[in-house]
């Protein structure tokens, strides 16, 4: 039985979502798969603090994330692996490699690839590994400058851009698609949305006051609409302000859920930020998107790809969100159907995990 080690990290949702989809695909092919988060396992307290910092930037200070992103984009990550704190993560990876004896290693976070580079140069690792990039178009420099023999990006536009910017060989970089679990399916036949049956899935990643204003604006325009609001970090504040709508059954508030596939299956539109995992899950489920927030840096590229495909819209204010909904539902929801068709037509909307698995088996194990 072939063994696979997947190295992921819990910043945002994208890295772990990609890891889970890859684990599902390789397991279905008979591989023995281990998914690990070396940052959290080696330094749980430090990792917890940095994770809270990331969450704070997302919800409260995106400008601060923009500064952080710019610094990490220009840093030399080949030297960073020798920092005292990161030496512990590197040592944890070395022990994982020795314990697992994996036939291949996949990194859904770029730092780990540099650690594998370093271990390889030290003669402590002789295995085969690949980098699974979890953003599109606006891909930061650290993703693309390790010595990994195989790099997988979500789409052909990203592949062309990365090869041109970093001088990479087209054979080294493949457009494998973003790995999405099989439960996200575009084959579902949703009833066409209208003012009387509209169901919205709302990822509430903004401050609670902004979330409440947007929900109220939607319900004022569409009183019969049903909103499922994902508000994990500030659910109590949102709950207090939307108690009336919750009591009337207009709003369902979920602090967290492992069943995003089911929620997407029953929804007509997703409103939220341009995170890679959710965006590509929407592609897989053919669920048109309204992006009301994109983090500076990598998420700008995700938004650009969505708009380029004609699969969604950007609307930051509550008034703009309502206007986009009006346009989507007008003329028998013609624009909504057009965006859904664009998602189905996009080659990246499904099968990313399978394509990556095919390339790993062909290129790394042959």
């Amino acid at each position: 039985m072939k063994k696979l080690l997947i190295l992921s990290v819990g910043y945002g949702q994208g890295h772990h979502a990609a890891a889970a989809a890859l684990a599902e695909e390789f397991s279905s092919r008979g591989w023995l798969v281990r998914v690990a988060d070396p940052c959290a396992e080696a330094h749980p307290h430090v990792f917890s603090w940095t994770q809270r910092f990331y969450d704070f930037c997302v919800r409260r200070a995106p400008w601060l994330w923009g500064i952080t992103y710019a610094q990490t984009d220009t840093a030399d990550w080949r030297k960073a692996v020798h920092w005292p704190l990161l030496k512990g993560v590197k040592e944890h990876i070395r022990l994982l490699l020795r314990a697992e004896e994996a036939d291949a290693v996949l990194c859904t976070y770029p730092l780990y690839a540099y650690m594998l580079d370093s271990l390889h140069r030290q003669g402590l690792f002789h295995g085969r590994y690949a980098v699974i990039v979890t953003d599109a178009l606006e891909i930061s420099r650290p993703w693309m400058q390790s010595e990994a023999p195989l790099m997988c990006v979500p789409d052909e536009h990203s592949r062309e851009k990365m090869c041109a910017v970093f001088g990479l060989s087209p054979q080294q970089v493949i457009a494998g698609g973003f790995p999405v679990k099989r439960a996200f399916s575009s084959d579902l036949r949703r009833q066409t949305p209208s003012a009387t049956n509209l169901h919205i899935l709302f990822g509430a990643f903004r401050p609670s006051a902004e979330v409440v204003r947007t929900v109220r604006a939607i319900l004022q325009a569409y009183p019969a609409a049903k909103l499922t609001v994902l508000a994990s970090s500030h659910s109590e504040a949102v709950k207090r302000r939307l108690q009336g709508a919750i009591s009337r059954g207009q709003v369902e508030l979920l602090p967290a859920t492992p069943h995003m596939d089911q929620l997407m299956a029953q929804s007509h539109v997703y409103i939220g930020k341009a995170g890679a995992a959710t965006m590509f899950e929407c592609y897989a489920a053919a669920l048109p998107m309204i992006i009301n927030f994109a983090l500076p840096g990598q998420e700008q590229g995700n938004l650009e790809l969505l708009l380029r495909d004609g699969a969604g819209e950007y609307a930051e204010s509550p008034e703009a969100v309502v206007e986009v909904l009006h346009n989507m539902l007008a003329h028998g929801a013609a624009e909504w159907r057009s965006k859904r068709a664009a998602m189905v037509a996009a080659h990246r909307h499904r099968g990313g995990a399978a394509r990556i698995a095919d390339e790993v088996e062909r290129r790394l194990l042959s």
Side-chain angles (χ1 to χ4, degrees), residues 7-17 19 36-40 47 51 108-110 112:
L7 303 179
S8 184
V9 75
Y11 297 124
Q13 301 174 6
H15 307 290
H16 279 348
D37 184 340
C39 285
F47 173 76
Q51 191 177 43
T108 65
Y109 185 54
Y112 302 141

Side-chain angles (χ1 to χ4, degrees), residues 265-281:
Q266 67 191 27
S267 303
H268 294 112
V269 178
Y270 178 87
I271 299 174
K273 78 183 188 80
T278 301
M279 191 182 86
F280 287 110
E281 287 167 358

Side-chain angles (χ1 to χ4, degrees), residues 167-233:
L168 300 173
S169 164
Q171 286 70 44
Q172 185 183 7
V173 185
I174 66 163
F178 189 97
V180 173
K181 296 186 78 171
R182 296 173 181 178
F184 294 91
S185 172
S186 63
D187 296 331
L188 299 168
R189 295 185 179 273
R190 294 184 183 86
Q191 185 180 7
T192 301
S194 68
T196 60
N197 71 354
L198 180 62
H199 195 145
I200 295 172
L201 180 59
F202 192 163
F205 290 96
R206 305 302 294 133
S208 57
E210 294 183 32
V211 172
V212 170
R213 284 197 298 269
T214 302
V215 171
R216 285 175 175 168
I218 293 171
L219 290 178
Q220 183 176 3
Y222 298 98
K226 172 70 180 296
L227 282 83
T228 301
V229 180
L230 307 174
S232 56
S233 70

